[in-house]
Amino acid sequence: MNLHGLEKSRLPTHVAIIMDGNGRWARLRGKSRLEGHREGTAAVRATVELSRDLGIRYLSLYAFSSENWNRPHDEVEGLMALLESYLECERERMMREGIRLMAIGDRKRLPVSVRRVLDQNIDLTRHNTAITVILALSYSGRDDIVRTVRDIARKVKEGEYDLPEIDESLVAAHTETGCIPDPDLLIRTSGEMRISNFFLWQIPYTELYITPTLWPDFSKRQYIEALLEFQRRQRRFGKTDEQILRG
Ligand code: IPE
Ligand code: IPE
Ligand code: MG
């Protein structure tokens, strides 16, 4: 396996990406926003492929936020059509390369045709083990937390849990990412210094990497740069530098 100068033992277990900048990429080229989104799917493919080849266990991709439903109708429709054809095209590759697909977010809001192919891919790939790709679709970090609170409150009401049993691990288990470990690295393309309602509960100690590169231009080389930078970071989790160095 070509590790591109990366230390295998220090690779992130879970990488999350806010794939932003398709619209600006298109505008710079005098193209439609949808062409930017289309070009973005090539970067998705490359990112999944490299993650898998490196042995990264989980890759979460923020593809469509709850707030993105407020975009112009044509853009939303175009994005949904693109998503559907992407999922159809990728099915064979996912099976061939051992990619397991999962989805988080309010799937009920997705068009039926998208939901159908999404569910098919999720079901078909459920036993694949090379990597788990988590697509965040119609996702909102706050909504994830609200649903978690509701779910736990209902269980307390029904007597399944007592209040003292509610701790961090129980809350985490009820979020949409359930048993998936928190992201080690969160990448955002297009230079925006914000989370835009992506993972909120899940990123207390996640390393943030923000690059000005627009998503369609995010290449494997740039992904490797982000991973190299991640490996240069010292994750302290509140401890001192000395404590970390002593191990
Ligand atoms: C990210 O690119 C894709 C989605 C949010 C669906 P944008 O469409 O947000 O691109 P910019 O931010 O306008 O450049
Ligand atoms: C975040 O990008 C959502 C996705 C990449 C899917 P946006 O383009 O929607 O974020 P804002 O509006 O600039 O914060
Ligand atoms: Mg954007």
Side-chain angles (χ1 to χ4, degrees):
M1 185 203 304
N2 182 357
L3 282 170
H4 308 275
L6 290 158
E7 260 180 72
K8 177 142 184 62
S9 63
R10 300 191 59 218
L11 280 170
T13 301
H14 182 176
V15 176
I17 308 184
I18 302 175
M19 309 183 292
D20 196 16
N22 296 348
R24 277 162 282 174
W25 182 93
R27 195 175 57 224
L28 284 168
R29 287 161 182 78
K31 297 181 178 203
S32 69
R33 292 183 59 86
L34 208 56
E35 283 176 275
H37 296 312
R38 203 170 295 128
E39 195 66 27
T41 59
V44 174
R45 214 167 277 129
T47 306
V48 171
E49 188 173 79
L50 182 60
S51 303
R52 177 201 173 275
D53 290 350
L54 288 171
I56 289 167
R57 307 299 312 156
Y58 302 95
L59 175 68
S60 292
L61 299 171
Y62 198 17
F64 194 85
S65 72
S66 295
E67 290 76 20
N68 289 150
W69 290 114
N70 299 322
R71 291 193 177 192
H73 179 73
D74 283 359
E75 181 170 348
V76 171
E77 208 172 60
L79 271 166
M80 290 300 139
L82 194 62
L83 177 61
E84 190 179 330
S85 67
Y86 175 81
L87 289 167
E88 256 158 23
C89 288
E90 289 304 293
R91 185 177 295 153
E92 204 183 296
R93 183 196 305 268
M94 286 179 188
M95 290 313 291
R96 196 172 57 237
E97 300 188 351
I99 298 163
R100 178 179 183 195
L101 184 72
M102 282 177 57
I104 55 173
D106 189 0
R107 281 198 258 173
K108 290 190 304 299
R109 290 185 79 180
L110 299 172
V112 179
S113 56
V114 172
R115 235 183 301 160
R116 191 181 313 121
V117 56
L118 183 64
D119 288 343
Q120 281 169 354
N121 285 17
I122 290 170
D123 189 48
L124 199 69
T125 63
R126 71 189 186 283
H127 297 303
N128 290 349
T129 56
I131 184 171
T132 300
V133 173
I134 300 127
L135 274 189
L137 297 168
S138 189
Y139 182 82
S140 143
R142 282 207 160 171
D143 187 50
D144 193 354
I145 293 171
V146 169
R147 281 203 263 176
T148 299
V149 170
R150 227 182 259 154
D151 203 12
I152 295 173
R154 185 179 42 79
K155 289 181 181 175
V156 169
K157 207 170 137 195
E158 288 169 0
E160 194 175 329
Y161 299 123
D162 283 333
L163 282 187
E165 284 180 89
I166 302 174
D167 59 10
E168 285 194 16
S169 66
L170 188 122
V171 174
H174 282 79
T175 63
E176 287 222 65
T177 42
C179 50
I180 296 165
D182 287 341
D184 303 288
L185 172 64
L186 172 66
I187 298 171
R188 181 170 190 151
T189 57
S190 92
E192 306 296 355
M193 303 283 181
R194 54 179 174 259
I195 300 297
S196 300
N197 211 357
F198 192 24
F199 289 147
L200 298 178
W201 168 267
Q202 292 87 344
I203 58 168
Y205 275 105
T206 299
E207 293 296 325
L208 308 179
Y209 181 89
I210 296 168
T211 168
T213 301
L214 303 173
W215 177 249
D217 289 330
F218 191 72
S219 62
K220 286 189 180 180
R221 186 65 246 167
Q222 302 204 26
Y223 188 13
I224 291 162
E225 283 306 322
L227 293 167
L228 285 167
E229 162 71 20
F230 170 79
Q231 297 201 327
R232 284 191 292 270
R233 304 259 180 103
Q234 186 191 51
R235 303 184 77 188
R236 287 193 288 277
F237 300 96
K239 292 185 179 174
T240 67
D241 179 36
E242 276 189 332
Q243 284 176 298
I244 300 298
L245 294 174
R246 252 189 275 125

